[in-house]
Each structure stands twice: as structure tokens, then as C-alpha cells.
Amino acid sequence: WFTDPNYGRFVRQRQEQDGQYVYRIGPDGTVTAPIRDGDKPNGIGFSPDETRLYFTDASPSRLRAHDMLGEGDRVNATPAWEVELEMADGLTVDTEGNVYVAGTGGIHIFDKDGRK
């Protein structure tokens, strides 16, 4: 799983992917874009049990959580929850499932249900 925002690229430069989405590379090397409704998805991570995918998005600036489906090869495109943040950027998830997001004002910490 990865994101491909066009930060830092010249406007006229062609993107490698067909949009700014959340992508998955399958076992056979096939690249798909299961989440296409973000503006500029960036930081990405998973809950410790890999049942939830988290990513930041630029406009509106927010943290989104999506439930994984099947054997972790699919994702529910509708967010389980989302929280607006100013200038949300990279993120990481600890072993307890807390999500740490870099943004305006420092590091913002959320539990697995989106509570600060």
C-alpha cells in the first residue's frame, strides 16, 4: 500500500500514476487504487492487527481511517471515521493502535476510534 501525492513536482510534469490515490500492489505486482476520493493522500499506516488503514489527506486536511476487508487485500472505500486537522502530513501507528499525525501545532495523537 502506498500514496502518490504530487508534492514537489512541477505542475507540467507528468505523474507516474493516473491520479493522487491510495494504491495497493498485489502479490502478482498489479497496482490498483482502492481509494480514489482523496485530494492529496500522503502519510499512510495500519493498525497493529492490520484491520484498519489510516492516511492523511490535504484538502480538506484530515486523518482518515478505513476498515480492511477480506484477507487485508481490500479496503472499505467509505471511511470508518475522519478527523479534520490543519496541515496533516505524515503519520505512524504504535503497538497500542494510537495514531500519531504531524500537523500544524505539532504531533496530534488519536486512539483507534479517532479520539484525541
Side-chain angles (χ1 to χ4, degrees), residues 59-106:
S59 181
S61 185
R62 60 196 167 172
L63 167 64
R64 293 174 63 174
H66 291 259
D67 292 326
M68 299 301 296
L69 304 171
E71 299 294 316
D73 57 340
R74 294 175 292 126
V75 64
N76 186 339
T78 302
W81 56 262
E82 60 184 43
V83 177
E84 288 194 26
L85 289 170
E86 190 172 343
M87 299 295 292
D89 197 9
L91 68 79
T92 192
V93 182
D94 70 18
T95 57
E96 299 298 315
N98 297 305
V99 184
Y100 299 76
V101 182
T104 299

Side-chain angles (χ1 to χ4, degrees), residues 43-61:
I44 190 168
F46 288 89
S47 61
D49 62 3
E50 297 184 354
T51 59
R52 185 162 279 172
L53 175 143
Y54 303 100
F55 71 94
T56 58
D57 197 6
S59 181
S61 185

Side-chain angles (χ1 to χ4, degrees), residues 6 13 20 23 25 38 41 44 48 51 75 79 84 87 90 94 104 108 110 114-116:
N6 67 358
Q13 188 175 354
Q20 298 176 75
Y23 295 94
I25 302 174
I44 190 168
T51 59
V75 64
E84 288 194 26
M87 299 295 292
D94 70 18
T104 299
H108 304 272
F110 300 90
R115 291 184 300 255
K116 211 169 188 185

